[in-house]
Amino acid sequence: MSSTTSLRPRGSSRELPTELPPQAGRAAAGIAIVLVAQLMIVLDATVVNVALPRIDADLGFGPASLSWVLNAYTLAFGGLLLLGGRLGDVFGRRRAFELGLAVFTVASALGGLAQTPGQLVATRALQGVGAALAAPSVLALLTTSAPDDAARNRAFALFGAVSSGGASIGLLLGGLLTDVGSWRWTLFINVPLGLAVLLLVGRFVDETPRRPGRFDLVGAASATIGAVSLVWALIGAPEHGWGSARTVGGFVVGAALLLLLARTETRHPHPMVQPHLVRSRRRAGALAAMALVIGANLSMFFLVVQYVQVVLGYGPLMSGVAFLPFSLGIFAMSRFTPWLIAQVGPRAMLMAGTAALTVGYAWLSAADASGTYLGAVFGPMLIAGLATGLVFMPITVTVLAGVELEHAGSASGLLQTTQQLGSAVGVAVIVSVYAAGAVPGQFVPGLQAAFLTSAGFAALALLVATAVLRTPRTDVEPAVLDPEPEAVAEAA
């Protein structure tokens, strides 16, 4: 991120550029290629959701083990993200991106060919490993590929739209592929996309410099195993109970290893996680807001998918179509967020977006057995999509503001680790709340409390944005968080 961009007084005149920056076409192609890979990684967390009944019928999982089709991916992805970010810093981010995407593509092909439950779960875990290697480099490559600050903010807006809208796109694509073909195509679809990205990325995306130094083995092991332990405990909490030995043991091991990580990182000359990245109050607040927003959204996906199938009687394809208001809201808002961030700043956008999310999830809590799609689902989902599109970009740029280019991979890995932990916590808490009010043989009982809990997550994110992110505008990183309004508007 350039440090030479200065703040220009509001209302001042400037001559608009008449020519594109050098290599603008190549940079735009590189950004598009990287975003395609990001879409693959994000939508894979949900693309198999609507296909789960067909997978169960074909491979004979059983109700107790079917959730591992989803959990194996989340566990590997969330547990290895910090390691993936550090590998990108040390060995080059394009190299780490290519390696991770290659693993992800091969695992997708093997998953589509799986003949037993064990084979499918193993390939889903391998997909998570590949995603964890590739994902932390995405934001860093977007940052280094953009030719100027306006293009960088535009890339961040698109990254936010892809990352937050990919989950609902995954449901739509998964429903379409399952209805017209087979659940196996929810995995096979990644193969041609992955091969195309791997063939083109070297041509349009430059490698980043390697960061010399020793690799922090203790930090790598403690970060990876600690994160895996926490995600594993969170995933199993709804089934085994929050007070079970399994859940408590996972939390204890995870917390102990993360404490070891914190102690190691303050002493190692080349740490896995730069201590200054988590000492910033604004960055920590943005990460907390991200975890809360993602947790609320993923719990909404989990419950609404079942509501439209069980209560409204939708099939796989129509279940995916039902999420279009959420996706379209995100992509529509992404057209305005680069301009908005220059006009009002990230904090105001976060406050408005999280307040709207709170309203949307409170509205969803009114869904009942006599509800209709237009009356109970459409409005809240549209609000949630617009609000999510409003908050994602300011969170991203706040986390990356002031980060040296050589640490961008680690910062990106930290952001995406927060997303995975937030989704795991959100789903675990919401499922536990729902189960506490559930009635055997009925789906609706428990919904109100569950969606009100999601609204509570969004309200907590609003409190964080209000209290923690309060910073004088002169302290905001100008190159990222306060670009000149005309440049941003033109990029958008």
Side-chain angles (χ1 to χ4, degrees), residues 7 39 67 94 113 134 151 175 185 193 197 213 218 238 289 294 324 372-373 396 418 438-439 442:
L7 289 170
L39 179 62
S67 64
R94 196 186 73 189
L113 297 171
W185 281 102
L193 292 174
V197 172
V218 174
I294 290 292
L324 276 178
T372 63
Y373 176 76
T396 301
T418 301
V439 175
Q442 301 181 45

Side-chain angles (χ1 to χ4, degrees), residues 124-373:
R124 287 286 288 167
L126 189 60
Q127 279 186 304
V129 172
L133 293 175
S137 294
V138 169
L139 272 174
L141 291 175
L142 290 178
T143 300
T144 56
S145 296
D148 53 35
D149 294 333
R152 185 176 299 116
N153 278 279
R154 177 60 179 159
F156 283 164
L158 291 172
F159 172 83
V162 166
S163 297
S164 49
S168 52
I169 293 172
L171 292 175
L172 177 62
L173 182 61
L176 176 63
L177 293 172
T178 302
D179 259 3
V180 304
S182 164
W183 65 265
R184 297 181 183 276
W185 281 102
T186 63
L187 298 167
F188 284 145
I189 191 65
N190 291 320
V191 177
L193 292 174
L195 291 175
V197 172
L198 288 170
L199 288 173
L200 294 173
V201 68
R203 180 179 176 184
F204 292 99
V205 179
D206 294 329
E207 180 59 284
T208 60
R210 297 189 186 188
R211 185 182 171 209
R214 293 185 293 115
F215 196 73
D216 178 12
L217 294 178
V218 174
S222 57
T224 300
I225 302 174
V228 167
S229 297
L230 289 177
V231 176
W232 180 76
L234 289 165
I235 285 173
E239 179 182 354
H240 299 279
W242 289 92
S244 68
R246 179 189 188 277
T247 303
V248 173
F251 283 137
V252 169
V253 171
L257 287 170
L258 292 183
L259 286 174
L260 174 61
L261 171 66
R263 187 170 184 269
T264 301
E265 302 309 87
T266 59
R267 301 183 177 188
H268 199 281
H270 304 286
M272 273 276 296
V273 179
Q274 296 294 321
H276 73 272
L277 293 180
V278 292
R279 287 177 185 151
S280 165
R281 180 175 62 91
R282 299 189 76 254
R283 186 172 293 114
L287 291 171
M290 174 65 81
L292 290 165
V293 168
I294 290 292
N297 281 351
L298 265 291
S299 60
M300 178 266 292
F301 278 98
F302 181 82
L303 292 171
V304 172
V305 164
Q306 296 182 71
Y307 180 79
V308 298
Q309 292 196 22
V310 175
V311 178
L312 302 184
Y314 288 10
L317 177 57
M318 287 306 299
S319 297
V321 172
F323 278 81
L324 276 178
F326 185 82
S327 300
L328 294 177
I330 289 172
F331 282 104
M333 185 57 69
S334 72
R335 298 296 301 170
F336 302 100
T337 49
W339 179 82
L340 282 171
I341 206 167
Q343 297 298 312
V344 302
R347 180 170 172 262
M349 293 173 66
L350 280 171
M351 291 173 63
T354 50
L357 272 178
T358 304
V359 172
Y361 289 127
W363 185 358
L364 265 177
S365 69
D368 56 25
S370 62
T372 63
Y373 176 76

